[in-house]
Amino acid sequence: MTAPLTTDRTAPDLTAVLGPYLDPVLAACRPHTGHLTHVEACTGGNVSHVLRVHGRAGRVIVKVRGRRFAQIAHLTTDPALIAVEFRALTLHHALLPDLFPEVLAFLPEAHAMVMTDVFPDGRTWREHLDERAATTEECTRLGAALARIHHATAALPPLREGDGDDRFRAEHAYGYCLRAAGHRALDDACHRLDALPGRQLVLGDTCPKNLSLADGRTAFVDLDNVHTGAPLFDAGYLLAHLVLHHAARPEHLHPLAAAFLDAYTLPGPARPWHDDDLLATVTAGVLLYRLEARTVPYPPTAPPTAADRLRRRLRHLLDAGPFTVPDLLQAADGPVTA
């Protein structure tokens, strides 16, 4: 470089993040960016540092995993685990190149990846939902894309050796998420998910901050939670965030949820979503995880009064017994019963 890179005020110190590997990582960017000009922080990542590196000829995404979570500094992690995400991205991009970024360079010593930028407008779907409601077209696209992913990955082997995938599912997907609310119905849902036929790779973190729907395209990023599990978990996870981001505008929920679920088809025997109490319970559990859990922060999506109202209605549903997705959507838009 003939001039130093400029960084935005939210971007981490590249030297502090990459140390002696700063020059190799920037060198891996240059074939795709040309002369480097500036770096900006990407929003949403809790575990890894995610940066958008710009150059005169283009831009790329750099993801770096450290010994502590990027946004939750009291949580430690093994930076070498970025190799699991590298493998997940490589597999998913090979199967569905239109839905996933391509890894342009993997630097294991730096615990870093250089990837294509699949966010045309540089913004996550979460950022758009903070400003407006989703559209039925977006939800239809999401349902169809998630179905494509699950059908394409149904035959892939686990990412982790031995029982590592099972342990990851139990500790992260279930422990941090479904079991975080401490409700017996959610513990039972974990057992029911494990009993479903057709275990396969699932994304594990299908939320709006990891999605782009800009310019009529659909893209998924942040694959460090990919694990062997039930596809229904991904569907419930994404449905929960659809509800969460419309807690203050519930009049949109019914058509949006129907558009998403009508377009999504699980691998294997058909499970009509209208009557699927397990899907509804998983969705409620993920919602409570976002509304109540404090370990993994998620910026508010509604005023405190609306969020608390939704939390109480979800608790009531779980206490009362089996319920369906229409029941959950009605609870999000209806009064709390005694």
Side-chain angles (χ1 to χ4, degrees), residues 150-151 154 197-198 200 231 264-271:
H150 286 158
H151 285 276
Q200 63 166 89
Y264 176 74
T265 54
L266 282 168
R271 294 174 60 95

Side-chain angles (χ1 to χ4, degrees), residues 49-257:
H49 296 286
V50 185
L51 306 163
R52 183 172 281 111
V53 178
H54 296 259
R56 292 176 181 168
R59 67 191 192 195
V60 294
I61 298 296
V62 173
K63 190 167 190 177
V64 186
R65 188 159 183 158
R67 298 190 178 279
R68 294 185 177 275
F69 281 20
Q71 302 299 325
I72 319 174
H74 67 277
L75 292 182
T76 59
T77 183
D78 180 359
L81 289 174
I82 197 170
V84 178
E85 185 176 12
F86 164 65
R87 185 179 176 196
L89 278 168
T90 302
L91 290 170
H92 284 75
H93 176 80
L95 290 169
L96 299 165
D98 59 318
L99 296 182
F100 295 96
E102 179 184 2
V103 179
L104 303 171
F106 177 48
L107 296 89
E109 298 85 0
H111 308 119
M113 291 187 292
V114 178
M115 301 173 288
T116 53
D117 187 354
V118 292
F119 286 29
D121 62 350
R123 304 178 75 203
T124 68
W125 194 41
R126 153 100 210 212
E127 292 174 271
H128 288 282
L129 292 182
D130 286 343
E131 300 172 353
R132 60 166 176 82
T135 68
T136 54
E137 185 275 335
E138 288 175 330
C139 293
T140 297
R141 246 194 304 146
L142 273 180
L146 190 61
R148 284 181 62 204
I149 293 167
H150 286 158
H151 285 276
T153 58
L156 294 180
L159 290 177
R160 299 164 183 84
E161 296 180 358
D163 66 349
D165 247 29
D166 291 340
R167 190 167 62 249
F168 183 93
R169 180 180 66 254
E171 293 177 357
H172 292 263
Y174 295 170
Y176 277 135
C177 184
L178 291 184
R179 289 192 167 110
H183 199 286
R184 66 187 185 282
L186 298 175
D187 185 63
D188 179 62
C190 295
H191 294 297
R192 291 177 65 190
L193 284 170
D194 281 344
L196 289 176
R199 268 197 206 175
Q200 63 166 89
L201 288 190
V202 297
L203 297 177
D205 196 7
T206 49
C207 64
K209 70 181 180 65
N210 297 330
L211 292 167
S212 171
L213 295 173
D215 295 352
R217 298 168 55 189
T218 306
F220 294 77
V221 299
D222 199 357
L223 269 59
D224 61 0
N225 282 328
V226 171
H227 64 277
T228 302
L232 184 145
F233 179 83
D234 278 350
Y237 202 94
L238 187 43
L239 177 60
H241 287 84
L242 194 62
V243 174
L244 185 68
H245 282 269
H246 294 82
R249 42 197 174 199
E251 68 278 7
H252 296 278
L253 270 178
H254 292 267
L256 295 177

